[in-house]
Amino acid sequence: MKKILDLISGEVAAAFAACGYDAEYGKVTLSNRPDLCEYQCNGAMAAAKEYKTAPFMIADRIVEKLSGNPMFSMAESVKPGFINLKLEGAYLADYLEQMQADTGRFGCEKVKEPKVIMIDYGGPNVAKPLHVGHLRSAIIGESVKRIGRFMGHTMIGDVHLGDWGLQMGLIITELKLRQPELPYFEEAYEGAYPEEPPFTISELEEIYPAASAKSKEDEAYKEAAMQATFELQQGRKGYQALLSHILSVSVSDLKQNYENLVSFDLWKGESDAQPYIPEMVQKMKEEGFAYVSDGTLVVDVKEETDTKEIPPCMILKSDGASLYSTTDLATLVWRMQDYQPDEIIYVVDKRQELHFIQVFRCARKTGLVKPETELKFLGFGTMNGKDGKPFKTREGGVMRLEHLISGINAEMYKKITENQNAKENLGISPEEAEETAKTVALAAIKYGDLSNQAGKDYIFDVDRFTSFEGNTGPYILYTIVRIKSILKKYYGMGNQIQEAPILAAHSESEKNLMLELSKFNATMETAFEETAPHKVCSYIYELANAFNSFYHANKIMAEEDENVRKSYIRLLELTKSILETCIDVLGFSAPERM
Ligand code: ARG
């Protein structure tokens, strides 16, 4: 379905053309004076210059042309030359009618040329607990993926585990110290390695920080860890076997932690890039891109137009060990080979931007990606506490994701049970309250994050995010639940709405709700094009507000005119569907009641 703004622009453009002006001037936008009109066209102001006529003369002619047009209930020219427009109620009602008939899509067409888009997000580091820093990547990435899917693209989400750096060498070194008798350390060992991992996840999570602390104090220990990392990277069998254990233990823990929060299509990691490194490096050398500088193999990536210095991209350390950029480059090799993506989006902390500039340039220069493949860095800001500093535990430590989530779950549980005691007793069982609390808590966290432009830092304010009022996830869910409950009552009384048309609005609040509904397709398109889930958030906030104003200003169930009542119910159905579709692309859902 065409976007409503395009339909309106089309009509106004035709009027410009009919009056002998360039149709381009007929572009219509949403009004920035909603008190005066719904849409506006400023084209007469621009046309005035070209046609050397006073703008209001042009505006008057256009308005004259538009008079009697069934699309508009008002077309007015306002000095010095604005054209103010209001949609005819019947026209808008018919638009919504078509939206609702378009099941599941509500007027939003899938793209004509779907792309294959890979999305690199999450990025947890194995053996290290998930912390809030990884939360943003997961939340934003998941939403970008879902928006893309909704638009018809093939979206492939890859978690890109951090499993190939010094942290692996550290774990190996510490383990060797603690359990030297294990076969993994015996170089001449020929047998099969045990199937059971030599540690649990909690042991692993204790081993890493212990090793990391030691390496900062003990130079020899650090040397040993670097050596172990190197040997692992060179394919030492016992270490490879340990890596598999570390991975399997970590990944099953991660999967649990990510449950309900995100779902990845691929569980690849940095280590999956290893097999592609030697050939890639060889090629970069042969083709003259890579050269040794101060012992490190590098590729120059600076460009003439740079305003700040972009250092060379490092390919291999002097001992031949690979780096963060090496695995990112070699990951591109298998991504291109196995998926031929048209685009790859990296959802990573914006502080890593320089790394990605280097990697992208190096990949282009050395031909790792085809020229048409777009590499996009979606850098996100820091999640801060109320003190404006990076979010920490009360004791000042790094906040673990699971603790953050369980804390908010508890907070939500309290609110829901209080709410239910205070108001009508809905008969919600403790089990249902717990489930509902989880659903609402997830919405609070995700919406709290997504409603901010990704690139900005934001304050994680638990009290605000969990509030049922204001621009919050719970408020959106509350609105959906409110609609569900009215519908349930309505249908519960044996009512039906078959064949009842959506009527032209009877009040301003109803018209406003209808206008908001009609913006759905445009919102989705823009959110995808601009990789901007926050646009979906602002849309549903406006929509929820419009619905609640309508709800407060009108009697729905008690409306006497049966046709009007049915039309209201149809609007409720559409509002509910659209809100639900939107929260689904944001990555959360609504409970039945709360
Ligand atoms: N593991 C990294 C970190 O915790 C994030 C990985 C981002 N993705 C990538 N392709 N480099 O900082």
Side-chain angles (χ1 to χ4, degrees):
M1 245 172 104
K2 276 198 174 171
K3 285 170 282 184
I4 199 143
L5 262 178
D6 291 345
L7 291 167
I8 302 170
S9 291
E11 214 56 25
V12 177
F16 269 85
C19 295
Y21 305 115
D22 190 335
E24 288 293 310
Y25 292 117
K27 202 172 150 9
V28 171
T29 57
L30 286 174
S31 157
N32 51 22
R33 286 291 303 274
D35 52 326
L36 298 180
C37 58
E38 294 156 1
Y39 302 92
Q40 66 189 55
C41 169
N42 301 346
M45 308 290 284
K49 295 199 185 77
E50 184 181 336
Y51 300 102
K52 305 202 169 40
T53 319
F56 72 87
M57 302 261 287
I58 300 179
D60 276 347
R61 289 190 65 192
I62 302 303
V63 163
E64 169 87 41
K65 244 298 138 317
L66 289 174
S67 88
N69 188 312
M71 190 185 274
F72 304 107
S73 63
M74 180 195 100
E76 234 173 44
S77 76
V78 178
K79 292 236 162 97
F82 298 115
I83 301 166
N84 289 353
L85 302 163
K86 280 189 184 175
L87 268 193
E88 182 59 56
Y91 183 84
L92 182 57
D94 180 60
Y95 190 82
L96 300 194
E97 195 76 71
Q98 292 177 46
M99 278 175 72
Q100 205 164 39
D102 188 11
T103 316
R105 304 220 48 94
F106 311 105
C108 181
E109 284 173 28
K110 289 193 181 181
V111 286
K112 301 252 154 33
E113 289 169 31
K115 294 183 189 169
V116 174
I117 302 176
M118 293 190 84
I119 164 154
D120 180 313
Y121 70 119
N125 301 311
V126 302
K128 296 193 202 173
L130 272 178
H131 59 78
V132 296
H134 294 114
L135 182 65
R136 295 213 69 192
S137 178
I139 291 178
I140 299 166
E142 182 70 17
S143 177
V144 169
K145 185 183 80 181
R146 287 168 178 235
I147 294 172
R149 245 173 225 168
F150 186 79
M151 293 312 297
H153 298 287
T154 299
M155 305 293 289
I156 304 165
D158 180 15
V159 67
H160 200 73
L161 297 169
D163 61 357
W164 201 239
L166 183 61
Q167 92 235 45
M168 295 298 130
L170 284 166
I171 296 168
I172 294 172
T173 305
E174 183 61 22
L175 205 63
K176 189 172 175 184
L177 216 61
R178 295 184 185 192
Q179 302 184 57
E181 71 288 355
L182 290 175
Y184 309 96
F185 306 114
E186 196 183 314
E187 223 159 330
Y189 186 76
E190 290 284 337
Y193 294 105
E195 286 196 359
E196 274 299 297
F199 37 66
T200 62
I201 183 67
S202 30
E203 281 160 354
L204 198 56
E205 285 182 354
E206 178 267 324
I207 290 175
Y208 172 73
S212 164
K214 275 191 200 171
S215 77
K216 289 193 180 106
E217 272 157 22
D218 184 342
E219 202 43 49
Y221 188 96
K222 187 170 175 196
E223 277 299 319
M226 279 163 65
Q227 180 61 23
T229 311
F230 177 72
E231 288 178 27
L232 168 72
Q233 295 187 352
Q234 298 304 310
R236 183 166 159 171
K237 262 177 49 214
Y239 291 2
Q240 294 275 354
L242 271 180
L243 173 70
S244 309
H245 286 315
I246 299 174
L247 274 176
S248 70
V249 169
S250 284
V251 167
S252 56
D253 180 61
L254 279 172
K255 284 191 174 160
Q256 240 172 30
N257 260 290
Y258 275 136
E259 219 195 304
N260 304 326
L261 197 63
V262 280
S263 75
F264 299 101
D265 305 295
L266 299 177
W267 279 84
K268 299 272 201 178
E270 292 167 352
S271 67
D272 288 294
Q274 175 61 19
Y276 303 92
I277 294 176
E279 198 183 316
M280 175 186 85
V281 171
Q282 187 60 27
K283 206 167 150 270
M284 286 181 180
K285 280 192 205 156
E286 274 169 18
E287 292 173 359
F289 293 117
Y291 68 95
V292 178
S293 160
D294 287 334
T296 311
L297 189 71
V298 300
V299 170
D300 280 331
V301 293
K302 58 173 191 282
E303 288 170 5
E304 260 174 41
T305 49
D306 288 342
T307 49
K308 64 172 190 218
E309 162 115 20
I310 307 290
C313 184
M314 297 204 273
I315 310 296
L316 288 181
K317 284 199 237 175
S318 50
D319 63 1
S322 52
L323 300 116
Y324 190 39
S325 36
T326 324
T327 49
D328 263 325
L329 288 164
T331 297
L332 280 169
V333 176
W334 69 254
R335 283 185 179 159
M336 293 308 295
Q337 186 181 296
D338 298 353
Y339 296 96
Q340 295 92 41
D342 300 296
E343 188 174 330
I344 307 177
I345 306 174
Y346 294 78
V347 187
V348 185
D349 193 313
K350 70 178 176 197
R351 285 168 294 192
Q352 293 192 24
E353 181 166 19
L354 178 60
H355 164 79
F356 284 98
I357 293 178
Q358 293 172 305
V359 167
F360 292 176
R361 286 186 182 182
C362 182
R364 289 232 176 275
K365 185 171 176 180
T366 61
L368 289 185
V369 292
K370 50 178 185 181
E372 316 82 81
T373 298
E374 198 183 331
L375 299 173
K376 197 185 269 174
F377 176 66
L378 180 61
F380 54 80
T382 309
M383 177 172 146
N384 290 323
K386 271 189 185 171
D387 57 1
K389 300 206 186 89
F391 199 82
K392 291 269 160 66
T393 60
R394 218 168 284 162
E395 293 74 35
V398 175
M399 174 66 100
R400 292 176 62 150
L401 189 55
E402 52 193 300
H403 297 157
L404 174 98
I405 293 177
S406 59
I408 297 193
N409 282 348
E411 181 75 19
M412 232 47 251
Y413 182 78
K414 223 173 73 198
K415 277 204 182 173
I416 284 169
T417 40
E418 271 167 14
N419 206 26
Q420 112 125 337
N421 293 340
K423 290 211 282 178
E424 68 229 90
N425 194 334
L426 296 169
I428 295 180
S429 68
E431 293 77 39
E432 185 185 341
E434 214 167 287
E435 270 313 301
T436 305
K438 273 194 204 156
T439 308
V440 184
L442 189 70
I445 298 173
K446 287 197 166 190
Y447 190 93
D449 191 308
L450 293 170
S451 52
N452 302 285
Q453 206 178 318
K456 297 210 169 120
D457 296 350
Y458 78 100
I459 294 189
F460 192 90
D461 180 342
V462 179
D463 295 329
R464 190 169 81 73
F465 288 4
T466 56
S467 168
F468 283 31
E469 280 150 40
N471 189 5
T472 70
Y475 169 69
I476 303 292
L477 298 194
Y478 198 78
T479 306
I480 296 177
V481 165
R482 169 175 275 166
I483 300 176
K484 281 187 181 179
S485 119
I486 302 170
L487 291 175
K488 206 164 151 196
K489 224 186 257 170
Y490 182 80
Y491 296 121
M493 285 159 38
N495 290 311
Q496 286 178 339
I497 49 163
Q498 273 113 328
E499 325 228 324
I502 298 179
L503 304 174
H506 299 81
S507 62
E508 210 173 310
S509 65
E510 188 185 4
K511 177 97 181 267
N512 192 37
L513 171 62
M514 294 171 87
L515 286 169
E516 284 302 329
L517 286 167
S518 73
K519 292 177 192 160
F520 172 70
N521 50 9
T523 304
M524 285 298 202
E525 272 185 39
T526 317
F528 175 76
E529 276 158 18
E530 299 176 10
T531 344
H534 73 275
K535 299 242 158 141
V536 179
C537 291
S538 10
Y539 172 64
I540 54 176
Y541 181 52
E542 292 301 325
L543 179 57
N545 281 340
F547 172 77
N548 286 313
S549 306
F550 165 73
Y551 170 83
H552 288 299
N554 296 280
K555 291 195 168 53
I556 297 171
M557 297 282 276
E559 165 58 47
E560 276 165 23
D561 183 327
E562 193 188 334
N563 290 328
V564 175
R565 194 166 65 237
K566 285 186 171 173
S567 172
Y568 284 170
I569 294 291
R570 292 210 45 207
L571 277 188
L572 261 61
E573 288 280 6
L574 187 57
T575 308
K576 170 171 141 336
S577 301
I578 289 192
L579 286 173
E580 283 177 333
T581 306
C582 288
I583 64 171
D584 186 59
V585 301
L586 295 174
F588 56 89
S589 58
E592 277 314 300
R593 47 192 187 166
M594 61 195 262

